[in-house]
């Protein structure tokens, strides 16, 4: 019975802790205190956009670096070289826009779980198998990037990022068309 009491007490403390409430439970031999747990607020739209754009560029450079090493297709290697150059330039433009914003924004290039999984998968492939997966990943990545750019260009809250997004739409559209044309 005493073990059941301690289990119930521990479960209650965990449940209340998970709710983010501060509670103090006292028994004759033990006190359990849990603190409020706060989660960070969602990133402001401008910060979220900067992070998305930075992660997109990082993904493109890393995936294309893998393509340079693992592809058997001259067309894919050529495309990958172009992506490394274009997305390195895009990163520079994003940083300039972020520095010009008021207040300045620091883009976070941390990849999404989906991007990291795709890179991990690509890293384990070679030759024709790599080429097929890379081409598909490039189409998918550019579709998502284009949607994000168009959305922010239309509804964004940071003028410098709206300009960046608007100016980048034609380039990413061209990249998407190039990716769709890849024949691994």
């Amino acid at each position: 019975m005493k073990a059941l009491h301690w289990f119930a007490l521990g479960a209650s403390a965990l449940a209340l802790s998970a709710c983010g409430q501060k509670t103090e439970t006292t028994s004759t031999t033990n006190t359990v205190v849990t603190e409020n747990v706060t989660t960070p607020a969602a990133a402001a739209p401008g910060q979220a956009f900067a992070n998305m754009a930075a992660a997109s560029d990082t993904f493109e450079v890393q995936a294309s670096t893998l393509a340079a090493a693992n592809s058997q297709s001259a067309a894919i290697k050529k495309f990958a070289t172009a992506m490394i150059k274009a997305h390195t330039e895009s990163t520079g433009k994003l940083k300039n826009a972020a520095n010009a914003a008021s207040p300045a924004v620091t883009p976070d290039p941390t990849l999404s779980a989906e991007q990291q999984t795709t890179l991990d998968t690509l890293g384990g492939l070679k030759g024709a198998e790599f080429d097929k997966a890379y081409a598909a990943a490039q189409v998918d990545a550019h579709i998502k990037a284009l949607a994000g750019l168009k959305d922010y260009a239309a509804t964004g809250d940071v003028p410098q990022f709206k300009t960046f997004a608007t100016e980048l739409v034609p380039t990413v559209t061209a990249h998407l068309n190039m990716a769709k044309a890849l024949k691994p």
Side-chain angles (χ1 to χ4, degrees):
M1 182 71 168
K2 191 172 188 175
L4 183 59
H5 172 73
W6 286 110
F7 175 76
L9 181 63
S12 297
L14 286 174
L16 290 173
S17 173
C19 292
Q21 299 173 352
K22 184 173 182 172
T23 139
E24 187 173 309
T25 306
T26 306
S27 73
T28 56
T29 58
N30 196 11
T31 301
V32 177
V33 177
T34 57
E35 294 294 322
N36 260 346
V37 177
T38 57
T39 54
Q47 181 69 59
F49 172 78
N51 295 350
M52 180 278 304
S56 178
D57 282 342
T58 298
F59 173 80
E60 287 300 325
V61 170
Q62 290 182 7
S64 295
T65 300
L66 286 172
N70 297 340
S71 177
Q72 70 179 17
S73 165
I76 286 185
K77 286 185 178 206
K78 182 178 177 183
F79 176 81
T81 300
M83 291 305 97
I84 292 169
K85 181 179 185 292
H87 287 278
T88 300
E89 289 173 2
S90 174
T91 296
K93 290 176 183 177
L94 176 63
K95 286 179 181 177
N96 289 340
N99 289 334
S102 181
V105 174
T106 302
D108 179 0
T110 302
L111 299 178
S112 70
E114 179 182 4
Q115 290 168 322
Q116 188 60 58
T117 298
T118 301
L119 279 179
D120 293 344
T121 299
L122 289 173
L125 302 174
K126 299 270 188 229
E129 193 177 33
F130 174 88
D131 292 344
K132 183 177 179 181
Y134 174 77
Q138 287 301 301
V139 170
D140 183 59
H142 283 93
I143 286 171
K144 289 176 181 170
L146 186 58
L149 290 168
K150 285 181 175 180
D151 181 57
Y152 198 84
T155 64
D157 62 338
V158 177
Q160 293 82 357
F161 291 150
K162 285 183 75 155
T163 299
F164 168 82
T166 300
E167 291 174 354
L168 209 54
V169 165
T171 302
V172 175
T173 300
H175 290 175
L176 175 58
N177 291 333
M178 291 166 56
K180 287 179 177 178
L182 289 174
K183 302 287 185 218

